[in-house]
Amino acid sequence: MSRSAHPAGPRHADVLPEGHYSAPPADLNALDGKVWAQTVTRDAHGVVTVGGIPVTRLAEEFGTPAYLLDEADFRARARAWRTAFGHDADVFYAGKAFLSRAVVRWLHEEGLNLDVCSGGELATALSAGMPADRIAFHGNNKSKDEIRRAIEAGVGRIVLDSFQEIVRVAHIAQELGKRQRVQIRVTVGVEAHTHEFIATAHEDQKFGIPLAGGQAAEAVRRALRLDGIELIGIHSHIGSQIFDMSGFEVAAHRVVGLLKDIRDEHGVELPEIDLGGGLGIAYTSDDDPREPHEIAKALTEIVTRECEAARLRTPRISVEPGRAIVGPTAFTLYEVGTIKPLDGLRTYVSVDGGMSDNIRTALYDAEYSVALVSRSSDAEPMLARVVGKHCESGDIVVKDAFLPADLAPGDLIAVPATGAYCRSMASNYNHVTRPPVVAVRDGEARVIVRRETEEDLLRLDVG
Ligand code: LLP
């Protein structure tokens, strides 16, 4: 790795330009345990290791960019959710955050269920041996083919998202001679405090059937009349990357209100309630996420209290965390290619990936942290913007962060907390191939999703 010098730039300007950052951290070599996977540490030579393996060795073996996933951490987080909710509740991992066959097997072994939202995710789950009755099938516009495949496979539940789908699922199930267990997804009218694109319980958006105006009650009426489906519960998902529990509280209150109305109108007490996912994780040291046991306690208390007040039997609760399980367990390893100091502004650090492996910064203005990981450094902090290699100026991975001023081409840097919605939202923009996911555990590393190659791209292009 070269350590060539580059022109002097705004190393540590007295007056910093506008941005998301707070003051430079006291120690640039420190790795905040809140944002890094559990086994990540810096060894005696200053090299960062994960699962006991130095990132320099992982880069040599698997190349960069690469998502490095700490399997022990993934399993520990999955188990923590499972344990926190106990046997009277179900934890469905939301596969959209990141799904692969290895992940399905870990989830199965750790006793979690799985939420899928497309035929592709369903196929992945089934091919890795997840029992179909532990799968929930989501989506606001499932195709007839997807519905048929899900029912044939015997999925535990289909979450109905529209009036059309109530009839569609009932008909397909009847054609197949089956009775499909379903939940109805409702929108409870909560404004979740998160980015607009990932808030899902306010009324003006595409998901769910609004409680307001009696629409959800009407959906229940129709579902209860159809033979092909068995309505087992109500589902609510209020959004994603949420820290404040009050949105869940309002959602639980309103969903239980609907359960009470259903009991009063139909004499039926629905046995299940799903409160969705959406719990936030730490992307930077400023974020303070809740622990699974705190979340479980809060949600269980809210539902129990509301049900007691409504004189209902407490339904079985389920939750669907995606990001909170996989997000913190992986980081993206990049090699620095070019460094451009812009006087009075900041230094642009270009890496060998970008918006094709992490679209979240461009799409949601997401904040990330970054660290030099192939060595430690005592150089002063330099205000940096980590950018990718794509032909787009919005191709930013980390908007504002401090890196050591002696950073040089060939250095490895890593962006933590990229386990969720990075590989799963990766693209081939500019015909850049998607990075591999390498699982690391107890000194061993194995590719669980291989690097895409140019041959893969050309194979799709049939001329
Ligand atoms: N359940 C349902 C019905 C969902 O729609 C979602 C996420 C989840 C569970 C899992 O949410 P989580 O626990 O992972 O926050 N691409 C965005 C996030 C989109 C979330 C979509 N639905 C991002 O990168 O922030």
Side-chain angles (χ1 to χ4, degrees):
M1 267 181 253
S2 75
R3 294 264 178 278
S4 59
H6 55 84
R11 298 295 195 222
H12 183 23
D14 291 335
V15 182
L16 293 167
E18 264 182 50
H20 288 263
Y21 52 85
S22 30
D27 178 6
L28 282 179
N29 298 313
L31 301 165
D32 184 347
K34 260 203 298 190
V35 295
W36 292 90
Q38 263 170 29
T39 71
V40 170
T41 179
R42 209 179 268 279
D43 71 14
H45 310 286
V47 179
V48 169
T49 69
V50 55
I53 312 182
V55 291
T56 40
R57 218 167 83 205
L58 292 164
E60 263 166 39
E61 191 170 344
F62 302 105
T64 56
Y67 303 103
L68 302 179
L69 197 160
D70 182 342
E71 179 183 339
D73 192 15
F74 183 100
R75 286 178 180 271
R77 286 176 198 274
R79 215 174 301 137
W81 276 85
R82 187 76 211 88
T83 312
F85 277 87
H87 292 291
D88 297 329
D90 296 300
V91 180
F92 287 76
Y93 168 78
K96 64 208 81 182
F98 172 64
L99 198 64
S100 77
R101 288 195 273 196
V103 161
V104 173
R105 282 185 215 107
W106 302 340
L107 293 166
H108 189 186
E109 286 165 16
E110 302 297 342
L112 274 74
N113 296 358
L114 180 62
D115 143 10
V116 300
C117 68
S118 71
E121 288 184 1
L122 177 64
T124 305
L126 293 173
S127 80
M130 179 58 87
D133 63 355
R134 282 172 48 188
I135 298 176
F137 191 34
H138 271 278
N140 69 305
N141 187 18
K142 309 166 189 77
S143 72
K144 287 184 185 161
D145 177 57
E146 287 174 322
I147 294 170
R148 185 176 302 277
R149 282 161 56 202
I151 298 175
E152 274 174 348
V155 298
R157 64 169 80 145
I158 294 183
V159 183
L160 303 174
D161 197 86
S162 65
F163 281 92
Q164 290 82 9
E165 207 170 68
I166 297 172
V167 179
R168 213 170 274 161
V169 170
H171 280 176
I172 296 174
Q174 251 185 331
E175 269 171 31
L176 295 171
K178 294 205 178 190
R179 187 145 194 254
Q180 177 61 50
R181 289 157 63 86
V182 297
Q183 290 188 340
I184 292 178
R185 176 164 174 180
V186 301
T187 34
V188 294
V190 173
E191 297 282 343
H193 299 287
T194 186
H195 192 280
E196 182 197 345
F197 292 178
I198 50 177
T200 54
H202 52 297
E203 268 132 28
D204 190 2
Q205 46 86 29
K206 71 170 186 167
F207 289 109
I209 301 179
L211 280 176
Q215 287 204 52
E218 178 56 22
V220 169
R221 241 167 253 139
R222 295 191 193 179
L224 288 174
R225 280 204 294 266
L226 295 167
D227 291 333
I229 52 180
E230 179 192 352
L231 182 61
I232 57 164
I234 300 296
H235 183 285
S236 155
H237 170 77
I238 59 171
S240 209
Q241 186 58 5
I242 296 165
F243 292 104
D244 178 0
M245 294 299 287
S246 63
F248 290 97
E249 192 149 341
V250 178
H253 172 72
R254 297 193 181 157
V255 169
V256 172
L258 178 62
L259 292 184
K260 179 173 176 292
D261 292 347
I262 296 169
R263 192 255 334 261
D264 294 346
E265 184 178 342
H266 306 281
V268 176
E269 288 198 28
L270 296 184
E272 293 187 14
I273 162 174
D274 190 313
L275 293 172
L279 284 311
I281 61 163
Y283 284 101
T284 73
S285 297
D286 295 336
D287 297 325
D288 281 309
R290 301 254 191 141
E291 294 293 327
H293 65 89
E294 293 176 90
I295 295 160
K297 186 164 179 281
L299 293 183
T300 312
E301 276 176 9
I302 300 164
V303 174
T304 310
R305 193 180 62 225
E306 295 291 329
C307 286
E308 272 168 14
R311 275 187 257 108
L312 282 167
R313 264 195 307 275
T314 306
R316 188 173 179 85
I317 300 174
S318 50
V319 286
E320 299 171 337
R323 187 193 319 263
I325 292 178
V326 69
T329 69
F331 60 88
T332 316
L333 186 64
Y334 299 104
E335 185 177 308
V336 173
T338 65
I339 298 178
K340 264 183 214 173
L342 298 185
D343 275 343
L345 290 171
R346 69 195 89 238
T347 295
Y348 278 76
V349 175
S350 295
V351 293
D352 47 358
M355 65 193 299
S356 56
D357 59 69
N358 187 351
I359 190 66
R360 298 194 68 260
T361 307
L363 196 54
Y364 314 119
D365 208 14
E367 289 178 37
Y368 280 94
S369 323
V370 61
L372 170 61
V373 290
S374 47
R375 62 185 172 92
S376 55
S377 165
D378 294 327
E380 59 180 313
M382 154 181 96
L383 179 62
R385 176 161 289 175
V386 179
V387 296
K389 59 181 286 165
H390 294 278
C391 287
E392 176 144 339
S393 53
D395 173 24
I396 296 168
V397 180
V398 187
K399 210 165 186 179
D400 297 294
F402 290 92
L403 281 164
D406 64 349
L407 191 76
D411 277 334
L412 299 176
I413 61 175
V415 175
T418 58
Y421 303 110
C422 286
R423 180 59 181 79
S424 69
M425 294 177 81
S427 77
N428 291 123
Y429 183 41
N430 298 141
H431 285 206
V432 168
T433 55
R434 289 175 293 176
V437 182
V438 180
V440 185
R441 183 187 180 184
D442 297 335
E444 280 182 31
R446 104 188 140 95
V447 174
I448 59 170
V449 179
R450 75 158 166 80
R451 183 182 299 285
E452 208 167 27
T453 62
E454 286 170 6
E455 291 74 59
D456 290 327
L457 299 183
L458 290 170
R459 211 171 294 143
L460 294 177
D461 181 341
V462 293

